[in-house]
Amino acid sequence: MVFEADNPQQETDPQGGGAAVGLALNDKRRELILKRVREIPSLPEVVNKIIQLLGQPHTSAAEISKLISYDPGLTSRVLRMVNSASYGIQRQITSIQHAIMILGFNTVRGLVLSASIFKLFAGGKKSGLFDPMAYWRHSMLTAMLGRLVCKAYALPEGDEAFSAGMLHDIGKLVLHEHFTADYNLVQRLALEHHCLPHGERFLLLERQGVGTNHSDIGAQLAVKWKLPATLTEVIQHHHHPERAVLNANLTYVVALANKLSVFVEQAYDLDTMLEHLPENLKDYFSLNATEDLAFLAPHIEPSLAEVDQLLQQFSKQAES
Ligand SMILES: [Fe+2]
Ligand SMILES: [Fe+2]
């Protein structure tokens, strides 16, 4: 086992969990994981209310906009998003209700949730090797690329893909915040073994180091927060979209956007991207030649610029 060979078991969990290094997943560890998830605060009341309303079939944009307008941070975020370049709207949108109608309920949900999670985890203070800003960049880029993939394939899940992309790796924040020392060790080993934090080997390192992985613990949190079942499914299965049963399209879209997001950050060209894509994703999306990824090219720079803008807003909001 990687951890047994590499770690002399000096690192312990500062919150009293003890090192999971070299240990099989025993009942005690499982209990600790459940306990930590239970201890994570609930989402703010207004956010819960908005999420609840967004999930009901007869909710109107007027009702949502009333709730959002109580929160100046959310209001400005929604308006900025709708006025950003990617929506291509010529005139300035200043009404929150109008903005919600343009963005769609799921995009609004993605924004509201990610903003409050950002605040809840204080943006994820940097400690050790986990870089919270890189985490948020990756999540935002995955959200945007997910929406783009849906557009390219004429799938109706575009807005939902935005929310799901934003939250797919939420388990990593939980591991970073609540199993800090163990997770730091996972990051160190990943680095030493040239293992990118987005693949199968990384999930294995997480399980060996902490006793769970970011998909499983993220899904546990999603259940605790009563997020919609399709979002929970993406969080749980974005590394194994073939296991999705509620909405396979959505899970595959986020799985693809997740990979593309990593490739874009690595500045791969389209040929290299195609070469590195897993076979199951290539098959699902019929990605057989470089031209099949051409839909991405004009959107890479604007998406990266939009991510930077969104990240700045989030940081400012978290400080206030
Ligand atoms: Fe992931
Ligand atoms: Fe990811």
Side-chain angles (χ1 to χ4, degrees):
M1 239 167 68
V2 182
F3 273 27
E4 282 176 338
D6 284 346
N7 178 56
Q9 300 203 5
Q10 309 133 334
E11 304 223 13
T12 53
D13 188 332
Q15 296 178 44
V21 177
L23 295 179
L25 179 56
N26 55 28
D27 288 348
K28 225 173 132 199
R29 191 70 186 176
R30 207 168 314 197
E31 253 169 51
L32 175 73
I33 291 165
L34 285 173
K35 183 169 168 274
R36 292 281 160 81
V37 172
R38 271 199 303 271
E39 283 165 0
I40 296 172
S42 302
L43 292 168
E45 195 50 41
V46 60
V47 173
N48 263 330
K49 197 94 197 269
I50 294 171
I51 303 305
Q52 239 178 40
L53 270 180
L54 286 171
Q56 288 167 9
H58 302 298
T59 300
S60 67
E63 288 172 90
I64 303 292
S65 67
K66 211 167 141 193
L67 275 178
I68 287 185
S69 53
Y70 288 138
D71 185 322
L74 288 179
T75 304
S76 74
R77 199 166 298 114
V78 168
L79 288 177
R80 270 172 203 250
M81 172 118 232
V82 78
N83 287 304
S84 69
S86 64
Y87 282 88
I89 293 162
Q90 299 305 319
R91 65 194 174 84
Q92 193 79 1
I93 306 287
T94 52
S95 138
I96 192 81
Q97 188 173 335
H98 192 183
I100 292 169
M101 287 183 322
I102 294 169
L103 291 172
F105 280 10
N106 276 301
T107 297
V108 172
R109 179 166 60 199
L111 277 180
V112 168
L113 271 171
S114 51
S116 50
I117 292 166
F118 192 91
K119 216 165 175 173
L120 196 66
F121 286 96
K125 292 173 284 314
K126 183 160 173 51
S127 71
L129 293 168
F130 182 81
D131 180 354
M133 284 304 143
Y135 163 87
W136 282 107
R137 275 181 71 85
H138 168 72
S139 303
M140 290 171 182
L141 197 54
T142 304
M144 286 173 195
L145 295 178
R147 198 172 53 196
L148 193 62
V149 169
C150 287
K151 204 168 165 196
Y153 284 81
L155 295 170
E157 283 91 351
D159 288 341
E160 216 174 344
F162 183 88
S163 304
M166 202 66 126
L167 300 179
H168 74 288
D169 277 337
I170 179 74
K172 287 187 181 174
L173 273 188
V174 179
L175 294 179
H176 166 61
E177 291 265 326
H178 295 274
F179 295 89
T180 310
D182 288 345
Y183 206 46
N184 200 31
L185 180 59
V186 170
Q187 310 281 322
R188 182 159 66 75
L189 283 168
L191 208 66
E192 282 170 14
H193 290 264
H194 308 289
C195 165
L196 280 174
H198 301 283
E200 195 57 41
R201 282 173 63 213
F202 188 74
L203 287 180
L204 199 66
L205 282 182
E206 287 180 334
R207 186 162 293 285
Q208 288 176 323
V210 188
T212 182
N213 62 38
H214 72 273
S215 304
D216 288 348
I217 203 163
Q220 283 177 284
L221 181 62
V223 170
K224 174 193 153 94
W225 279 349
K226 299 189 177 64
L227 299 186
T230 46
L231 271 189
T232 306
E233 177 170 77
V234 172
I235 293 170
Q236 174 87 71
H237 295 310
H238 65 275
H239 290 280
H240 288 282
E242 68 285 354
R243 294 181 188 160
V245 289
L246 299 173
N247 191 338
N249 273 350
L250 181 66
T251 311
Y252 269 98
V253 164
V254 176
L256 177 62
N258 178 36
K259 292 285 176 196
L260 294 177
S261 159
V262 177
F263 298 164
V264 165
E265 291 264 47
Q266 306 264 327
Y268 284 1
D269 58 25
L270 297 184
D271 282 323
T272 316
M273 287 188 192
L274 189 70
E275 198 184 308
H276 284 81
L277 273 179
E279 289 305 317
N280 64 340
L281 295 180
K282 284 196 215 175
D283 286 348
Y284 197 82
F285 292 97
S286 308
L287 295 165
N288 306 309
T290 311
E291 303 85 81
D292 298 330
L293 282 173
F295 69 89
L296 266 183
H299 298 281
I300 291 178
E301 288 307 321
S303 298
L304 285 170
E306 208 174 325
V307 164
D308 281 339
Q309 209 187 37
L310 207 57
L311 205 51
Q312 265 179 18
Q313 275 183 49
F314 273 41
S315 306
K316 257 192 235 148
Q317 219 67 63
E319 283 163 16
S320 66

